[in-house]
């Protein structure tokens, strides 16, 4: 019998075979593209912890834009992203030189030369704003000539981070100008809460005013866990095209094990499929798959999430992991041997980072599934690392 292809995609950022629980966000973005310049959702900010589906949602936004004829610039907000966007636009215009005659573009008047060498186009003379304005003029000309609905440019920026605020200031000012001019521009950005929160505050460190104001006016999409019925659908539907099926008790166990966490759906699905018995995913194969999925979740989600935290943050979490369920803040205080204000400060930091959640008066619990198990398994190594 031919080897059956695994339908699940347990890779961070990869679009799953069936995307569930994000229909409202996708529909709102589709309508924003159709409703024209100035629609609020055309500038969107996707926020959530690792593995919750931020990049996947950006992928969907890109697909919706491309299907309508929009030009898509997909970037990660690492150093140099503004220059990379500018260069991509110049190259796109360069490929279409023969179609630019009769369009009054900035690029044609700054001595770029016939070869359109991007290295000769000095950034100070031909800015990101110039490049976007030129491309949008060119796109409008094409749409008008073809007598079709106006389209524009969508820029997606993944892994937003407050430490790259200088470039974000330039990028934000450019987008604000284009929005004010009624241009066909859309922007979708994504980042984890601890990186996004400083960008949304009114001030930077000290009393300096925060100039990254366009983010505070963006449509905020806070991604959370999906419903169990959506989890069931996401685990069951991809198998229709294969000869494999779940036993009902195995599927119920897998749904519970996912805790509504999108990346865990793909991990459990992938490993349960690999552990199947012929064409059946039984209770035993589901159990083995869940165990493998938990280990992978620790490696791909928990480990990098903990690396983003301070030593005290991690100590707080290690002490939380001693409890079987939600932790009393008073117990954490006693274990840390610190004051109320000290513990309250780190509690707030971890809540803002969406590593923990409120679980009733004076209680907190882990936001990420299986983080307690991961911390218990690695507590000795984490404590040793903290005290190095």
């Amino acid at each position: 019998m031919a080897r059956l292809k695994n339908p699940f995609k347990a890779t961070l950022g990869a679009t799953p075979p069936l995307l569930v629980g994000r229909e409202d966000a996708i529909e709102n973005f589709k309508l924003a593209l159709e409703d024209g310049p100035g629609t609020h959702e055309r500038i969107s900010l996707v926020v959530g912890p690792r593995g919750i589906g931020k990049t996947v949602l950006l992928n969907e936004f890109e697909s919706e834009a491309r299907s309508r004829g929009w030009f898509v610039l997909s970037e990660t907000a690492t150093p140099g992203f503004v220059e990379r966007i500018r260069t991509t636009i110049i190259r796109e215009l360069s490929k279409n030189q023969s179609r630019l005659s009769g369009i009054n573009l900035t690029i044609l008047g700054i001595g770029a030369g016939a070869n359109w060498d991007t290295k000769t186009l000095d950034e100070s003379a031909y800015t990101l704003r110039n490049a976007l304005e030129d491309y949008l003029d060119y796109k409008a000309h094409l749409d008008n000539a073809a007598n079709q609905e106006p389209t524009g440019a969508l820029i997606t920026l993944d892994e937003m981070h407050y430490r790259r605020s200088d470039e974000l200031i330039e990028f934000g000012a450019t987008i604000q100008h284009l929005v004010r001019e009624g241009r066909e521009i859309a922007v979708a950005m994504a980042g984890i809460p601890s990186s996004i929160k400083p960008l949304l505050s009114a001030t930077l460190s000290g009393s300096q005013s925060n100039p990254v104001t366009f983010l505070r006016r963006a449509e905020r999409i806070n991604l959370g866990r999906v419903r169990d019925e959506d989890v069931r659908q996401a685990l069951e539907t991809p198998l229709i095209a294969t000869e494999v099926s779940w036993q009902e008790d195995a599927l119920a166990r897998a749904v519970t094990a996912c805790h509504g966490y999108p990346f865990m759906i793909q991990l459990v699905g992938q490993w349960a499929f690999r552990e199947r018995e012929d064409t059946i995913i039984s209770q035993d194969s589901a159990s083995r798959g869940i165990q493998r999925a938990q280990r992978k979740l620790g490696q791909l989600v928990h480990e990098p999430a903990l690396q983003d935290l301070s030593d005290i943050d991690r100590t707080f979490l290690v002490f939380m992991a001693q409890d079987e369920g939600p932790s009393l803040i008073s117990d954490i205080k006693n274990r840390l041997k610190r004051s109320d204000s000290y513990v309250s400060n780190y509690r707030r930091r971890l809540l803002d980072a969406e590593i923990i959640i409120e679980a009733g008066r004076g209680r907190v619990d882990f936001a990420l599934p299986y983080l307690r198990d991961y911390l218990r398994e690695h507590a000795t190594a984490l404590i040793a690392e903290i005290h190095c």
Side-chain angles (χ1 to χ4, degrees), residues 85-382:
I85 294 172
R86 189 185 78 101
T87 299
T88 300
I89 296 169
I90 293 169
R91 287 174 179 163
E92 186 68 19
L93 290 171
S94 174
K95 289 191 298 185
N96 296 281
Q97 288 183 66
S98 62
R99 307 174 73 176
L100 300 180
S101 59
I103 311 174
N104 184 25
L105 303 183
T106 305
I107 197 170
L108 298 178
I110 63 174
N115 293 325
W116 290 69
D117 182 0
T118 58
K119 294 178 182 177
T120 69
L121 294 174
D122 182 62
E123 189 176 354
S124 63
Y126 190 69
T127 64
L128 175 64
R129 181 178 173 184
N130 294 144
L132 279 166
E133 286 175 338
D134 278 354
Y135 183 82
L136 294 172
D137 284 342
Y138 161 68
K139 199 78 166 69
H141 175 79
L142 292 183
D143 292 340
N144 186 57
N147 195 29
Q148 65 183 29
E149 288 292 316
T151 59
L154 165 66
I155 301 172
T156 62
L157 272 183
D158 205 357
E159 298 185 20
M160 297 278 286
H161 201 284
Y162 65 92
R163 293 196 186 100
R164 293 184 273 279
S165 59
D166 287 347
E167 281 191 89
L168 285 174
I169 292 167
E170 178 186 354
F171 179 75
T174 297
I175 299 304
Q176 285 180 158
H177 280 297
L178 296 173
V179 170
R180 196 180 306 148
E181 292 167 2
R183 299 289 194 135
E184 294 285 354
I185 187 74
V187 177
M189 302 156 284
I192 60 175
S194 57
S195 291
I196 294 296
K197 187 182 179 184
L199 293 172
L200 301 177
S201 66
T203 59
L204 296 174
S205 57
S207 58
Q208 181 186 0
S209 177
N210 186 353
V212 193
T213 57
F214 86 111
L215 288 177
R216 297 204 293 275
R217 294 195 288 270
E219 167 74 0
R220 193 86 56 82
I221 303 171
N222 294 304
L223 294 187
R225 303 187 189 193
V226 300
R227 302 173 304 170
D228 279 355
E229 48 263 48
D230 290 328
V231 175
R232 171 179 281 268
Q233 185 183 8
L235 287 171
E236 208 168 15
T237 302
L239 295 182
I240 292 174
T242 74
E243 301 172 18
V244 177
S245 61
W246 294 88
Q247 284 185 349
E248 180 55 38
D249 56 354
L251 179 58
R253 182 166 187 174
V255 168
T256 301
C258 291
H259 293 282
Y261 192 65
F263 186 50
M264 191 63 176
I265 297 172
Q266 298 307 307
L267 285 170
V268 168
Q270 182 185 75
W271 284 104
F273 187 91
R274 290 177 178 176
E275 296 288 340
R276 71 187 185 278
E277 296 156 12
D278 195 13
T279 60
I280 298 296
I281 301 177
S282 66
Q283 181 83 275
D284 287 342
S285 51
S287 296
R288 292 193 301 270
I290 290 165
Q291 290 175 356
R292 298 289 294 270
Q294 280 185 245
R295 288 197 289 273
K296 272 293 181 183
L297 188 72
Q299 176 189 339
L300 298 174
V301 174
H302 297 146
E303 184 178 326
L306 292 171
Q307 286 175 351
D308 287 340
L309 304 176
S310 73
D311 289 348
I312 303 301
D313 289 326
R314 292 195 291 271
T315 302
F316 190 110
L317 296 174
V318 168
F319 284 142
M320 276 183 63
Q322 295 178 12
D323 299 314
E324 293 300 327
S327 299
L328 284 167
I329 292 297
S330 57
D331 288 342
I332 303 300
K333 176 192 167 188
N334 291 334
R335 293 165 190 168
L336 281 169
K337 296 182 173 57
R338 296 287 187 169
S339 66
D340 288 342
S341 60
Y342 185 93
V343 173
S344 178
N345 175 53
Y346 284 96
R347 166 185 160 277
R348 174 50 52 193
R349 284 165 52 94
L350 291 166
L351 286 170
D352 289 343
E354 296 189 15
I355 299 295
I356 64 173
I357 56 173
E358 299 277 13
R361 186 174 179 83
R363 292 176 179 269
V364 289
D365 203 354
F366 293 104
L368 297 175
Y370 303 107
L371 181 54
R372 174 181 285 104
D373 306 82
Y374 180 87
L375 287 163
R376 286 177 172 179
E377 185 177 347
H378 296 83
T380 302
L382 284 167

